[in-house]
Amino acid sequence: MQEKVTCKNVEDPRQYTIEGSLKNGGYESLKKALSMTPDEVIDEMKASGIRGRGGAGFPTGLKWSFIPKISDKPKYVCCNADEGEPGTFKDRVIIEKDPHLLLEGIIIAGFAIGATAGYIYIRGEFFFGVKRLEKAIEEAYEKGFLGKNILGKGFDYDIYVHRGAGAYICGEETALIDSIEGKRGMPRIKPPFPAIAGLYNGPTIVNNVETLASVPFIVRNGGAAFGKIGPEKSPGMKIFNVSGHVEKPGSYELPMGTPLREIIYEHAGGIKGGKKLKAVIPGGASTPVLKPDEIDVKMDYDSVAAIGSMMGSGAIIVMDETSCIVKSILILARFFAHESCGKCTPCREGCTWMAKIIDDIEAGKGQDGDIDLVYDVALNIFGKTFCPLGDGASMMVRGAIDKFRDEFEHHIKNKTCLVAS
Amino acid sequence: MLSQAAIKKIEEVQKKYPTKRSAVLPSLFIAQEEQGWVTKEAMAEIAKVLAIPPTQVYESATFYTMYNKKPVGKYHVQVCANLSCSLLGAEHVINYISKKLNIKTGETSSDKKFTLSTVECLGSCDTAPMLQLNDEYHENLTEEKIDKLLDSLD
Amino acid sequence: MALVTLNGKEIQVDGGRLILDVAREAGFEIPTFCYHAKLSTLASCRMCLVEIEGMRKLQASCATPVMDGMKIETESPDVVSARASQLEFLLINHPLDCPVCDQAGECDLQDLTFKYAKPGGRYRWKKRTFDKRDMGSTMTKEINRCIACRRCSRYCEEVSGDFAITELNRGNALEMGSFYHSPIESEFIGNTVQLCPVGALTSSLFRFKSRVWDLISTETICPHCSVGCSITSESKYVSQKATHMLQTQHLGKTPALEKTEVKILRNIASDGKGVTEISLCDRGRYGYHYINSDIRLKAPMVKENGRLVESTWEKALSLVASKLASIKAEKGAESIGGITSGICSNEDNFIFQKFFRNVIGTNNIAIPGDYSLSRSSVLRLLAMRGQVQWVKTADCILILGSSVGTDTPIVSMHAGMASRLRGANLITAMAGENRLLDTTAQKRLNYVKGSELTVIGALTRAVIDGKLYCESFGGKRKKELDVVEAGLKGINLKDLEVLAGLAVDDIESTARSLSEASKGVVLFGDDFIAGEKSEEIVEALYNLFSLLGYRGEKGQAIFSPASGNLIGSMDMGIAPDYLPGYVAVGSKEAGKAPQEKGLDWNAMVPAASDGKLQALYVMGDDPVETASDKDKVKNALNKLDFIVVQDLFMTKTAELADVVLPALTYAEKSGTVTNLEGRVQLLDVSMKPRVDGRKDWQIIRDVAQSMGAALCFNDDLRIVDDGEVEVLEEISKTVPHYAAVTQEAIGRDGLMSDVSGIKQAALKTVEIVGHKKTADKDYPLQVVPGRDVFLNGSMTWRDEGLLELSPGPRILVESSDGAAHGLSDGDVITVETKEGTLKGTVSLTDRIFPGVVVVPVNHPELESWKLFGGKNQETLGRLAK
């Protein structure tokens, strides 16, 4: 079986302590990285082919290489631990169970781009995770993995924890940067991209927890070792979170490209109570829903995209035959309306409007034409918003109507739910 | 008025950042920890300590949902109502707690002991349904578990 | 250069420019809401989306630069449909209350909907609504109409720096608002009304007054300070009558011939004209109500049996003429004095001085004020006419005194903006209130009122000690340096704390910053040069600026007085010792003008008391109200044989007059004014006269005619509209630095008068004896005269709008001092100095230093002059509840 990358030691109950981490080879990759040149580290990242685990799948090595070598402003690493995509809980596992692995990744990233500090932007609700991280940072300073002249290699670097305060949009990298700066987390205009002018206008990389926690493996084993796992174009191990109607909901670190059917039926133990599968959301709230005949898809960025959905963060939400699609979509539509930052017109007005229409349909107050109306509103949002949040809401709604139009129609025609009736 | 200790904490937390405005979010948490919610006066004080306009504190406080802009009960029961929890009975959990505490979502009990809220996904979908009580997660909820949890609070 | 294809048309443009700008220039219309050229890019309204070949999504043209080879479509089906859908989104929650919306007719949402939206509505749900909020006295917020373009909040953050309005909440609940929705107190907030593209923020003072299409617009110049902002004055001229006629016709009645009332209903900033960008201060924006006021003088008045009674122009003019002639004949021309105001136009002032010099035959003319400068000092001020543009781009700015902020808010705003947006080093040295809000990063120096000369001496000392002067002063101009240093023997930097209350580090670092700046600017206003030492202060400033090279090479100094046309009045020779163009009285160039120097205002008062002065002619000034020692002035004026006042209102001085003549406001006349930069700008007639008044220069001309003298005009007395052109022609012939000034040359943006030909005398020694800070444990506070930013003299005190804006006569007490005295906002306290006592309402503030109390001197009813004993100097005081 393939060696795990980020969850290798999460079962070890002492892994969250510095001693536990060191016993399992913690910070060995840091030592190796500091003996390399920053460019060599970036080259290994490029060679690994790793793509950002936050959901967008941008090649991480390439992102790092955009950082200018010389800058008159300090450079920063931002760790995106604002895990808020419904159905996603992978970063929380790493933060709570192996915080040192994450710190090690953040330090190596800082070394590679020549940063002076790293900020971990963590969801404000993760009180326990914050405690674990702050303790781990304290231990890392004590051991000389952080602070001045790390491991005697002349590299100075600090890590700070910055708590979010309840805003899904702060998972968007420029909103995250604004939020660290104390502002409302509203996406910024790009360009300039964060790599040129990010946090405090300095060159900045923003990477997801899982991405950064993969860095020690890549440095230790070489980029090639990571790159040969899974499909060539989106290689590596990936944490899949399975929730909803399955026997064994949980986090599963598997090679990219593992078929969705295998994840649901083998790793997660199949549908709860032996019921029939109705639908699967493959990668978080904004990814269009799949029908049971589509679950042979391989879970990697390109394969899922090829069937019109997205792998996103790898949050797989499984719905059995008793689930009402309309109600599920209503929950997600309300979620997007609640989390829209309000900056741009189509997202601010459109998301709420969609939620209102679906609310009527769900409640049996829908009118003829409402399905087409909400579909058209979704189309009017798509591609016109400032950031991808609105696009996600639009795809989610349209995907559900495309696949389960009959359920929506039933709600309108019969003023009751197809499942309940 | 914020306590001297809170003001000291606010001054301390600024050191993490190169700009004072960056300390707005942690400062609001400090105020909330002390007073249970963020008051107008606390925001004005934070602005003064950080030497920034009060609107910059206020605009952020109103953007983020974790800052309570009105008083909440001693125990803030926040039930996840997003999809994974909903599939596994979040609605029932909410109704059960609502009935038990005799308050609707968004309300605070008359003895100021409980506030019941629904929240978006808390990243604990594998242990659905779940809730957050102040800063602690309570997972795989059943009626018995809820009874045990809420009855144990004083 | 980049070659781009716009809707199939190839054009060459500079690479990096925004698609929006390029397309609009090429004649392709792209609609926008959030975009504003003077504000940062937001790209949030999504109205300006365009299609670019090869790009998956439509792009915001306001945020996307053109690149070589780009193929852009601004009217493709996708673009057209995207626009329509944005409008649908914006309208679903909009109240659609255009019939009662003041913005209707100039509303971008209305116009773009008309142009681009699809007909029909698909929204049947409840509209989002927000609570009604009080935004302060001038602004009405109908936030349900808001489209969240954030122009207002960006303005507050980027331009005014008051951070008054921001966005609150998020998503669909996003709302523009102030801190806890409290009423806004900012002298710039009116600008957000003008910037709002919809009817969300409207002017309370304009509310329901007129449909905008019924307004007549005139571009003219704001009279309320020396910045000379370009405004568009809008009046309602015909609509009432028209409406009335329509109604009567409809009812089949004969329309009654009613007199149409004309009123100025609003002022708006003329963006991009003269010194003006998007900002006016609210004093300028809302200070038009006095024009419409019913308490204006409506007809000439003549004193009969001790009472002023209405008369005719003919009678009044002949009385003035005969009285002046007889006094001149009996007591000599020197027994007649004339004073004008810094508000009157160049034409008014030119004719005034000409009348006095040619017809009366005296140089007894002056402008009363807190300072009186001789010709040599006024010449020094010519070297301190920097440009407003310079402030915007400076990298180091020193503001001396509070009045820059209170009297010329726009200059102060630009200084704050330079600091906030471009990181310019901003240093303020103030004894009183600092209007540059607390959040503009600045180094703040606090000096003791009355120690202005010491402050300059200390800075000069630091420049010399630190060798921070221009290189030449170390070499070939060493002698001049010695001349300056000779006066500084009394200034030792170590003593500063005792002297002016300043820290030596602050003075040294300020001197260094000024010296090291690549583009520095020093701003100062009336309060810094006021008092008995005006001459020395101006001369010492000149010395300092010379040493630093702040005479145009690397830095500029800007004198920014409160009076709208003070600079022009000086240029026109309103002074006892120089003629128009600063020609010295008695010099060869003076020609036929009286050879003897006349009396300045400070000399006229005692001259009136002891009978040397028999008559006083007052044009637009009210010294009895504004004097720092009112009783003295009033008693002196009461001794005079004859007083003529021409003014807009029955002022305190007019009450003493024998003849009162109604003048016209700036809105009712044309002519020119000169701003603090020396920029000559055109006034234009915004409305026909509301009263049977005449322009100031016309009145003087008419008096002269009645005296049998022609002031080069032969025109009919009845013609009231023209004449300024001829006066201006004479000005440009007489005043060398106005030689190029004609109405055509002034044009839209004004014309800089060229003072470069006026020679400056060599540097002079200014003896500076350090002002020693006094201490008195019974009077622990410094009481400093201040000014209410919304008011500025006679017109503003009678302006309903400005009185509404003004917080009222409030005594400013620093927050911690207030706490120590147990004071809250609104408490009534007594301020006591050794000179006097007054009662007033407290306002707690962080805009002043601890230990300082500021008492406004431009609220006549407060009688603050009692506290200062008629002098502009350090005043110690205490508070009592």
mmCIF file of all heavy atoms in Angstrom, chain A residues 121 162 167 170 174-186 188 198 200-201, chain B residues 19 21-25 56-57 59-61 63-64, chain C residues 157 167:
data_model
loop_
_atom_site.group_PDB
_atom_site.id
_atom_site.type_symbol
_atom_site.label_atom_id
_atom_site.label_comp_id
_atom_site.label_asym_id
_atom_site.label_seq_id
_atom_site.Cartn_x
_atom_site.Cartn_y
_atom_site.Cartn_z
ATOM 1 N N TYR A 121 -3.994 31.147 8.875
ATOM 2 C CA TYR A 121 -5.341 31.707 8.983
ATOM 3 C C TYR A 121 -6.292 30.552 9.256
ATOM 4 O O TYR A 121 -6.631 29.777 8.376
ATOM 5 C CB TYR A 121 -5.736 32.421 7.687
ATOM 6 C CG TYR A 121 -7.051 33.147 7.816
ATOM 7 C CD1 TYR A 121 -7.090 34.491 8.144
ATOM 8 C CD2 TYR A 121 -8.255 32.476 7.643
ATOM 9 C CE1 TYR A 121 -8.296 35.159 8.282
ATOM 10 C CE2 TYR A 121 -9.471 33.138 7.790
ATOM 11 C CZ TYR A 121 -9.487 34.470 8.108
ATOM 12 O OH TYR A 121 -10.682 35.125 8.253
ATOM 13 N N HIS A 162 -3.586 33.283 13.165
ATOM 14 C CA HIS A 162 -4.587 34.345 13.067
ATOM 15 C C HIS A 162 -5.944 33.684 12.929
ATOM 16 O O HIS A 162 -6.183 32.935 11.989
ATOM 17 C CB HIS A 162 -4.299 35.229 11.851
ATOM 18 C CG HIS A 162 -5.270 36.371 11.692
ATOM 19 N ND1 HIS A 162 -5.033 37.618 12.218
ATOM 20 C CD2 HIS A 162 -6.481 36.435 11.095
ATOM 21 C CE1 HIS A 162 -6.060 38.404 11.935
ATOM 22 N NE2 HIS A 162 -6.954 37.713 11.251
ATOM 23 N N ALA A 167 -16.451 33.527 8.284
ATOM 24 C CA ALA A 167 -16.696 34.023 6.927
ATOM 25 C C ALA A 167 -16.060 33.034 5.948
ATOM 26 O O ALA A 167 -14.846 32.974 5.817
ATOM 27 C CB ALA A 167 -16.121 35.425 6.724
ATOM 28 N N CYS A 170 -13.391 33.959 3.299
ATOM 29 C CA CYS A 170 -11.981 34.142 3.642
ATOM 30 C C CYS A 170 -11.125 32.954 3.205
ATOM 31 O O CYS A 170 -9.900 32.990 3.314
ATOM 32 C CB CYS A 170 -11.811 34.440 5.130
ATOM 33 S SG CYS A 170 -12.454 36.057 5.541
ATOM 34 N N THR A 174 -7.290 36.170 -1.587
ATOM 35 C CA THR A 174 -7.126 37.612 -1.352
ATOM 36 C C THR A 174 -8.037 38.110 -0.228
ATOM 37 O O THR A 174 -7.686 39.043 0.483
ATOM 38 C CB THR A 174 -7.395 38.433 -2.637
ATOM 39 O OG1 THR A 174 -8.721 38.151 -3.098
ATOM 40 C CG2 THR A 174 -6.404 38.073 -3.730
ATOM 41 N N ALA A 175 -9.184 37.451 -0.074
ATOM 42 C CA ALA A 175 -10.051 37.793 1.060
ATOM 43 C C ALA A 175 -9.358 37.404 2.359
ATOM 44 O O ALA A 175 -9.422 38.119 3.363
ATOM 45 C CB ALA A 175 -11.398 37.092 0.935
ATOM 46 N N LEU A 176 -8.686 36.279 2.310
ATOM 47 C CA LEU A 176 -7.934 35.811 3.481
ATOM 48 C C LEU A 176 -6.866 36.837 3.874
ATOM 49 O O LEU A 176 -6.692 37.176 5.046
ATOM 50 C CB LEU A 176 -7.296 34.456 3.145
ATOM 51 C CG LEU A 176 -6.444 33.759 4.202
ATOM 52 C CD1 LEU A 176 -6.607 32.241 4.069
ATOM 53 C CD2 LEU A 176 -4.977 34.116 4.103
ATOM 54 N N ILE A 177 -6.190 37.363 2.877
ATOM 55 C CA ILE A 177 -5.146 38.360 3.149
ATOM 56 C C ILE A 177 -5.773 39.612 3.779
ATOM 57 O O ILE A 177 -5.276 40.131 4.778
ATOM 58 C CB ILE A 177 -4.408 38.701 1.835
ATOM 59 C CG1 ILE A 177 -3.507 37.530 1.436
ATOM 60 C CG2 ILE A 177 -3.602 39.987 1.982
ATOM 61 C CD1 ILE A 177 -2.915 37.631 0.044
ATOM 62 N N ASP A 178 -6.870 40.082 3.206
ATOM 63 C CA ASP A 178 -7.541 41.252 3.782
ATOM 64 C C ASP A 178 -7.966 40.981 5.221
ATOM 65 O O ASP A 178 -7.908 41.862 6.073
ATOM 66 C CB ASP A 178 -8.763 41.641 2.945
ATOM 67 C CG ASP A 178 -8.424 42.730 1.926
ATOM 68 O OD1 ASP A 178 -7.221 43.039 1.786
ATOM 69 O OD2 ASP A 178 -9.340 43.260 1.290
ATOM 70 N N SER A 179 -8.391 39.750 5.466
ATOM 71 C CA SER A 179 -8.852 39.413 6.814
ATOM 72 C C SER A 179 -7.693 39.414 7.811
ATOM 73 O O SER A 179 -7.849 39.841 8.946
ATOM 74 C CB SER A 179 -9.546 38.053 6.779
ATOM 75 O OG SER A 179 -10.128 37.776 8.017
ATOM 76 N N ILE A 180 -6.528 38.971 7.388
ATOM 77 C CA ILE A 180 -5.357 39.059 8.284
ATOM 78 C C ILE A 180 -5.028 40.526 8.545
ATOM 79 O O ILE A 180 -4.619 40.897 9.643
ATOM 80 C CB ILE A 180 -4.127 38.340 7.674
ATOM 81 C CG1 ILE A 180 -4.395 36.845 7.517
ATOM 82 C CG2 ILE A 180 -2.883 38.557 8.567
ATOM 83 C CD1 ILE A 180 -3.240 36.074 6.899
ATOM 84 N N GLU A 181 -5.262 41.347 7.548
ATOM 85 C CA GLU A 181 -4.980 42.779 7.726
ATOM 86 C C GLU A 181 -6.048 43.478 8.559
ATOM 87 O O GLU A 181 -6.018 44.692 8.724
ATOM 88 C CB GLU A 181 -4.838 43.460 6.353
ATOM 89 C CG GLU A 181 -3.589 42.990 5.602
ATOM 90 C CD GLU A 181 -3.390 43.674 4.264
ATOM 91 O OE1 GLU A 181 -4.226 44.511 3.886
ATOM 92 O OE2 GLU A 181 -2.399 43.357 3.599
ATOM 93 N N GLY A 182 -7.002 42.722 9.055
ATOM 94 C CA GLY A 182 -8.012 43.280 9.960
ATOM 95 C C GLY A 182 -9.241 43.799 9.252
ATOM 96 O O GLY A 182 -10.126 44.371 9.872
ATOM 97 N N LYS A 183 -9.279 43.613 7.930
ATOM 98 C CA LYS A 183 -10.386 44.176 7.174
ATOM 99 C C LYS A 183 -11.504 43.156 6.988
ATOM 100 O O LYS A 183 -11.380 42.011 7.387
ATOM 101 C CB LYS A 183 -9.874 44.626 5.795
ATOM 102 C CG LYS A 183 -8.747 45.627 5.879
ATOM 103 C CD LYS A 183 -8.112 45.847 4.525
ATOM 104 C CE LYS A 183 -6.856 46.701 4.658
ATOM 105 N NZ LYS A 183 -6.020 46.652 3.451
ATOM 106 N N ARG A 184 -12.533 43.602 6.332
ATOM 107 C CA ARG A 184 -13.588 42.706 5.914
ATOM 108 C C ARG A 184 -13.011 41.800 4.834
ATOM 109 O O ARG A 184 -12.344 42.263 3.925
ATOM 110 C CB ARG A 184 -14.760 43.507 5.344
ATOM 111 C CG ARG A 184 -15.372 44.464 6.328
ATOM 112 C CD ARG A 184 -16.096 45.591 5.630
ATOM 113 N NE ARG A 184 -17.180 45.123 4.791
ATOM 114 C CZ ARG A 184 -18.400 44.833 5.231
ATOM 115 N NH1 ARG A 184 -18.673 44.976 6.507
ATOM 116 N NH2 ARG A 184 -19.331 44.405 4.411
ATOM 117 N N GLY A 185 -13.287 40.514 4.941
ATOM 118 C CA GLY A 185 -12.691 39.597 3.979
ATOM 119 C C GLY A 185 -13.403 39.645 2.648
ATOM 120 O O GLY A 185 -14.285 38.846 2.363
ATOM 121 N N MET A 186 -13.028 40.611 1.846
ATOM 122 C CA MET A 186 -13.648 40.730 0.527
ATOM 123 C C MET A 186 -12.555 40.570 -0.512
ATOM 124 O O MET A 186 -11.499 41.188 -0.405
ATOM 125 C CB MET A 186 -14.324 42.081 0.385
ATOM 126 C CG MET A 186 -15.566 42.194 1.261
ATOM 127 S SD MET A 186 -16.209 43.862 1.244
ATOM 128 C CE MET A 186 -17.914 43.582 0.891
ATOM 129 N N ARG A 188 -9.907 40.760 -3.400
ATOM 130 C CA ARG A 188 -9.247 41.913 -4.001
ATOM 131 C C ARG A 188 -9.183 41.748 -5.512
ATOM 132 O O ARG A 188 -9.273 40.649 -6.032
ATOM 133 C CB ARG A 188 -7.791 41.997 -3.530
ATOM 134 C CG ARG A 188 -7.576 42.357 -2.101
ATOM 135 C CD ARG A 188 -6.063 42.454 -1.872
ATOM 136 N NE ARG A 188 -5.746 42.751 -0.479
ATOM 137 C CZ ARG A 188 -4.500 42.793 -0.021
ATOM 138 N NH1 ARG A 188 -3.474 42.532 -0.821
ATOM 139 N NH2 ARG A 188 -4.282 43.079 1.247
ATOM 140 N N GLY A 198 0.837 40.908 -1.968
ATOM 141 C CA GLY A 198 -0.165 40.202 -1.182
ATOM 142 C C GLY A 198 -0.317 40.799 0.197
ATOM 143 O O GLY A 198 -0.675 41.972 0.344
ATOM 144 N N TYR A 200 0.200 42.736 3.393
ATOM 145 C CA TYR A 200 0.926 43.998 3.622
ATOM 146 C C TYR A 200 1.670 44.431 2.368
ATOM 147 O O TYR A 200 2.776 44.994 2.433
ATOM 148 C CB TYR A 200 1.870 43.873 4.819
ATOM 149 C CG TYR A 200 1.184 43.355 6.049
ATOM 150 C CD1 TYR A 200 1.553 42.131 6.624
ATOM 151 C CD2 TYR A 200 0.129 44.050 6.621
ATOM 152 C CE1 TYR A 200 0.892 41.637 7.734
ATOM 153 C CE2 TYR A 200 -0.533 43.562 7.736
ATOM 154 C CZ TYR A 200 -0.153 42.357 8.286
ATOM 155 O OH TYR A 200 -0.802 41.870 9.385
ATOM 156 N N ASN A 201 1.085 44.098 1.235
ATOM 157 C CA ASN A 201 1.646 44.432 -0.078
ATOM 158 C C ASN A 201 2.953 43.730 -0.399
ATOM 159 O O ASN A 201 3.619 44.067 -1.375
ATOM 160 C CB ASN A 201 1.825 45.944 -0.243
ATOM 161 C CG ASN A 201 0.554 46.567 -0.762
ATOM 162 O OD1 ASN A 201 -0.164 45.933 -1.554
ATOM 163 N ND2 ASN A 201 0.247 47.759 -0.302
ATOM 164 N N THR B 19 0.966 45.926 11.071
ATOM 165 C CA THR B 19 0.052 47.074 11.133
ATOM 166 C C THR B 19 -0.914 46.900 12.302
ATOM 167 O O THR B 19 -1.273 45.782 12.659
ATOM 168 C CB THR B 19 -0.810 47.208 9.855
ATOM 169 O OG1 THR B 19 -1.705 46.090 9.793
ATOM 170 C CG2 THR B 19 0.036 47.241 8.598
ATOM 171 N N ARG B 21 -4.005 47.780 12.390
ATOM 172 C CA ARG B 21 -5.344 47.391 11.965
ATOM 173 C C ARG B 21 -5.490 45.868 11.951
ATOM 174 O O ARG B 21 -6.596 45.348 12.137
ATOM 175 C CB ARG B 21 -5.626 47.979 10.580
ATOM 176 C CG ARG B 21 -7.062 47.812 10.173
ATOM 177 C CD ARG B 21 -7.369 48.484 8.866
ATOM 178 N NE ARG B 21 -8.749 48.287 8.483
ATOM 179 C CZ ARG B 21 -9.270 48.692 7.351
ATOM 180 N NH1 ARG B 21 -8.523 49.345 6.481
ATOM 181 N NH2 ARG B 21 -10.540 48.459 7.071
ATOM 182 N N SER B 22 -4.387 45.171 11.723
ATOM 183 C CA SER B 22 -4.444 43.713 11.718
ATOM 184 C C SER B 22 -4.959 43.152 13.033
ATOM 185 O O SER B 22 -5.435 42.022 13.083
ATOM 186 C CB SER B 22 -3.040 43.138 11.475
ATOM 187 O OG SER B 22 -2.822 42.951 10.103
ATOM 188 N N ALA B 23 -4.821 43.928 14.088
ATOM 189 C CA ALA B 23 -5.227 43.434 15.402
ATOM 190 C C ALA B 23 -6.727 43.572 15.638
ATOM 191 O O ALA B 23 -7.222 43.238 16.712
ATOM 192 C CB ALA B 23 -4.449 44.171 16.490
ATOM 193 N N VAL B 24 -7.469 44.037 14.634
ATOM 194 C CA VAL B 24 -8.906 44.242 14.834
ATOM 195 C C VAL B 24 -9.617 42.932 15.189
ATOM 196 O O VAL B 24 -10.369 42.871 16.165
ATOM 197 C CB VAL B 24 -9.563 44.882 13.582
ATOM 198 C CG1 VAL B 24 -11.081 44.787 13.657
ATOM 199 C CG2 VAL B 24 -9.145 46.336 13.456
ATOM 200 N N LEU B 25 -9.372 41.880 14.413
ATOM 201 C CA LEU B 25 -10.096 40.627 14.666
ATOM 202 C C LEU B 25 -9.762 40.046 16.041
ATOM 203 O O LEU B 25 -10.666 39.770 16.832
ATOM 204 C CB LEU B 25 -9.854 39.612 13.535
ATOM 205 C CG LEU B 25 -10.880 39.638 12.392
ATOM 206 C CD1 LEU B 25 -10.947 40.981 11.685
ATOM 207 C CD2 LEU B 25 -10.590 38.545 11.359
ATOM 208 N N GLN B 56 -13.591 51.363 11.134
ATOM 209 C CA GLN B 56 -12.814 50.204 10.683
ATOM 210 C C GLN B 56 -12.976 49.009 11.618
ATOM 211 O O GLN B 56 -12.812 47.862 11.202
ATOM 212 C CB GLN B 56 -11.331 50.570 10.525
ATOM 213 C CG GLN B 56 -11.105 51.501 9.336
ATOM 214 C CD GLN B 56 -9.641 51.779 9.053
ATOM 215 O OE1 GLN B 56 -8.784 51.546 9.897
ATOM 216 N NE2 GLN B 56 -9.362 52.299 7.876
ATOM 217 N N VAL B 57 -13.278 49.283 12.860
ATOM 218 C CA VAL B 57 -13.564 48.192 13.787
ATOM 219 C C VAL B 57 -14.985 47.686 13.546
ATOM 220 O O VAL B 57 -15.237 46.492 13.438
ATOM 221 C CB VAL B 57 -13.414 48.652 15.255
ATOM 222 C CG1 VAL B 57 -13.687 47.502 16.209
ATOM 223 C CG2 VAL B 57 -12.024 49.222 15.488
ATOM 224 N N GLU B 59 -16.946 47.970 10.878
ATOM 225 C CA GLU B 59 -17.214 47.306 9.599
ATOM 226 C C GLU B 59 -16.768 45.848 9.647
ATOM 227 O O GLU B 59 -17.420 44.973 9.087
ATOM 228 C CB GLU B 59 -16.546 48.050 8.433
ATOM 229 C CG GLU B 59 -15.020 48.067 8.490
ATOM 230 C CD GLU B 59 -14.360 48.709 7.269
ATOM 231 O OE1 GLU B 59 -14.936 49.645 6.707
ATOM 232 O OE2 GLU B 59 -13.265 48.260 6.900
ATOM 233 N N SER B 60 -15.666 45.575 10.332
ATOM 234 C CA SER B 60 -15.212 44.188 10.438
ATOM 235 C C SER B 60 -16.094 43.395 11.400
ATOM 236 O O SER B 60 -16.422 42.237 11.144
ATOM 237 C CB SER B 60 -13.752 44.137 10.906
ATOM 238 O OG SER B 60 -12.905 44.474 9.832
ATOM 239 N N ALA B 61 -16.472 44.023 12.485
ATOM 240 C CA ALA B 61 -17.318 43.325 13.457
ATOM 241 C C ALA B 61 -18.628 42.874 12.824
ATOM 242 O O ALA B 61 -19.154 41.804 13.148
ATOM 243 C CB ALA B 61 -17.593 44.232 14.655
ATOM 244 N N PHE B 63 -19.060 42.148 9.694
ATOM 245 C CA PHE B 63 -18.836 41.239 8.558
ATOM 246 C C PHE B 63 -18.758 39.789 9.019
ATOM 247 O O PHE B 63 -19.232 38.881 8.347
ATOM 248 C CB PHE B 63 -17.533 41.637 7.853
ATOM 249 C CG PHE B 63 -17.247 40.836 6.599
ATOM 250 C CD1 PHE B 63 -17.838 41.183 5.391
ATOM 251 C CD2 PHE B 63 -16.397 39.737 6.621
ATOM 252 C CE1 PHE B 63 -17.576 40.455 4.243
ATOM 253 C CE2 PHE B 63 -16.136 39.003 5.473
ATOM 254 C CZ PHE B 63 -16.728 39.363 4.271
ATOM 255 N N TYR B 64 -18.144 39.588 10.160
ATOM 256 C CA TYR B 64 -17.868 38.223 10.622
ATOM 257 C C TYR B 64 -18.956 37.761 11.585
ATOM 258 O O TYR B 64 -19.334 38.492 12.499
ATOM 259 C CB TYR B 64 -16.494 38.172 11.295
ATOM 260 C CG TYR B 64 -15.373 38.528 10.345
ATOM 261 C CD1 TYR B 64 -14.831 39.816 10.315
ATOM 262 C CD2 TYR B 64 -14.869 37.594 9.449
ATOM 263 C CE1 TYR B 64 -13.815 40.153 9.438
ATOM 264 C CE2 TYR B 64 -13.847 37.917 8.561
ATOM 265 C CZ TYR B 64 -13.323 39.195 8.563
ATOM 266 O OH TYR B 64 -12.323 39.521 7.688
ATOM 267 N N GLU C 157 -12.596 57.112 2.749
ATOM 268 C CA GLU C 157 -11.325 56.490 3.100
ATOM 269 C C GLU C 157 -10.166 57.130 2.325
ATOM 270 O O GLU C 157 -9.108 57.387 2.877
ATOM 271 C CB GLU C 157 -11.403 54.992 2.773
ATOM 272 C CG GLU C 157 -10.173 54.207 3.165
ATOM 273 C CD GLU C 157 -10.310 52.717 2.873
ATOM 274 O OE1 GLU C 157 -11.456 52.235 2.759
ATOM 275 O OE2 GLU C 157 -9.281 52.055 2.741
ATOM 276 N N GLU C 167 -18.883 50.216 4.730
ATOM 277 C CA GLU C 167 -19.898 49.211 4.470
ATOM 278 C C GLU C 167 -20.024 48.315 5.692
ATOM 279 O O GLU C 167 -19.053 47.954 6.325
ATOM 280 C CB GLU C 167 -19.626 48.405 3.200
ATOM 281 C CG GLU C 167 -18.363 47.605 3.183
ATOM 282 C CD GLU C 167 -17.195 48.387 2.622
ATOM 283 O OE1 GLU C 167 -17.237 49.621 2.628
ATOM 284 O OE2 GLU C 167 -16.212 47.751 2.194
#
